[in-house]
Amino acid sequence: MVVQQYRDGGGARAVRALAVAGVIAVTAGCFGGDAGSGASDGSGRSSVAADRPLDLLGQAADVLVEAGGAETRTSMETAAGGTRVTIRGQGAYDFRRQMGRLKVVLPEDAAGADGHRPITELLAPGALYMKNRGAGVPDDKWVRIDTTTLKDGNLLTGGVTDPMAAAELLRGAADVTYAGKSELAGVTVHHYRGVADLGRAARAASPQSRGALSAAAKGFSKDAVPFDAYLDEDGRLRKVRHRFTFSSEGPEVSVVSTLLLYGFGLPVTVTLPDEDAIYTGEIRQG
């Protein structure tokens, strides 16, 4: 395996509470998988190389914008006190409009004995919309959250890290190691390990993502976010795994968020709900 180093300045109750408070109660949150295939898009882009990883990772979000839409699968695994809870999602995302639609499935542990219907989430710049959110919200209503007011900037709250935010985080990459070339779902990918700085990523992010990432940079106790990123020969992000750590009441909580992208070029249509479809009543916490 090729290894090169690059530097650039610059308990069960806790887990259950996090999952319930995040996706079910819409205040804090919690997601592995593999998928994807696709050949070069014929854009003439230079192949990914091992000698300029900081540039490649810093441009990953821009390359996705050029690619347009893609299908996505997500997982968010939360661990505390030896207990793990995993929330999974699947859907599609338009990187040009920075909008997506996903179906998020809660584990039985987080949802309770009766289980929970999948939650539909709409992602948009500065906003998260959730349907089938439960806890007193009518079935035909959506909950809207301003992600710029969330302490985590919606990196964790919805149980899904916004795909664009996940890519934009790589703009803050440092201490990057090239871990070699491998294959992911039939596609050749280049694997990079490193640490992303939330504050630096927020400053370099696109205007649509900057507010949420700035909130995350202020809200997390640790700015450093370790990651593993896999880019294909055209520089498109195929998989990224971020590791978030923060303290809550009780043991320290670790969240591993994984995003998989495939089916590039897919037309993605996202229609946001009208104002009269937004629930404005009180939301029960649990």
Side-chain angles (χ1 to χ4, degrees):
M1 179 177 70
V2 179
V3 176
Q4 298 175 346
Q5 185 76 19
Y6 301 83
R7 293 187 180 274
D8 193 40
R13 181 176 300 175
V15 175
R16 291 170 66 93
L18 182 65
V20 173
V23 180
I24 300 178
V26 195
T27 53
C30 318
F31 39 86
D34 258 17
S37 63
S40 168
D41 59 6
S43 64
R45 186 183 313 283
S46 300
S47 296
V48 172
D51 59 350
R52 51 190 185 95
L54 294 174
D55 289 340
L56 291 165
L57 294 170
Q59 296 166 5
D62 299 326
V63 174
L64 290 176
V65 170
E66 291 183 26
E71 294 181 76
T72 180
R73 283 166 56 183
T74 67
S75 79
M76 187 175 282
E77 183 180 86
T78 302
T83 300
R84 296 180 183 273
V85 170
T86 301
I87 296 174
R88 301 185 185 279
Q90 185 167 0
Y93 193 88
D94 182 338
F95 287 95
R96 290 175 183 162
R97 298 174 63 206
Q98 296 195 15
M99 298 177 70
R101 182 184 184 97
L102 297 98
K103 182 178 289 186
V104 178
V105 180
L106 302 176
E108 291 184 2
D109 284 351
D114 295 334
H116 196 288
R117 290 176 299 167
I119 296 173
T120 299
E121 296 191 3
L122 303 181
L123 308 174
L128 167 66
Y129 297 82
M130 307 174 77
K131 195 174 185 180
N132 293 340
R133 176 235 169 272
V137 179
D139 290 346
D140 62 340
K141 295 292 186 179
W142 294 81
V143 173
R144 183 189 185 279
I145 306 167
D146 181 348
T147 56
T148 65
T149 66
L150 296 172
K151 289 186 176 181
D152 72 322
N154 196 33
L155 293 176
L156 304 177
T157 291
V160 173
T161 299
D162 184 298
M164 191 65 183
E168 298 258 35
L169 265 177
L170 298 177
R171 297 187 191 274
D175 294 336
V176 176
T177 297
Y178 178 61
K181 186 166 63 173
S182 61
E183 191 172 283
L184 176 65
V187 177
T188 297
V189 293
H190 296 262
H191 179 192
Y192 301 92
R193 294 191 181 101
V195 177
D197 182 270
L198 280 166
R200 185 172 162 199
R203 291 189 294 272
S206 64
Q208 298 95 319
S209 301
R210 193 169 299 145
L213 287 178
S214 295
K218 296 175 182 177
F220 277 91
S221 58
K222 295 181 181 179
D223 281 344
V225 181
F227 68 83
D228 285 84
Y230 301 78
L231 277 61
D232 66 17
E233 294 286 355
D234 293 311
R236 294 175 300 194
L237 186 65
R238 291 283 181 160
K239 178 179 179 179
V240 62
R241 178 180 289 119
H242 291 102
R243 298 168 182 82
F244 303 94
T245 303
F246 58 94
S247 298
S248 63
E249 295 183 9
E252 186 176 71
V253 179
S254 173
V255 180
V256 178
S257 175
T258 304
L259 169 73
L260 291 145
L261 296 169
Y262 55 104
F264 289 100
L266 174 79
V268 179
T269 301
V270 179
T271 303
L272 300 181
D274 296 330
E275 285 299 320
D276 59 4
I278 305 298
Y279 180 68
T280 58
E282 182 176 353
I283 297 174
R284 296 201 306 267
Q285 303 300 304

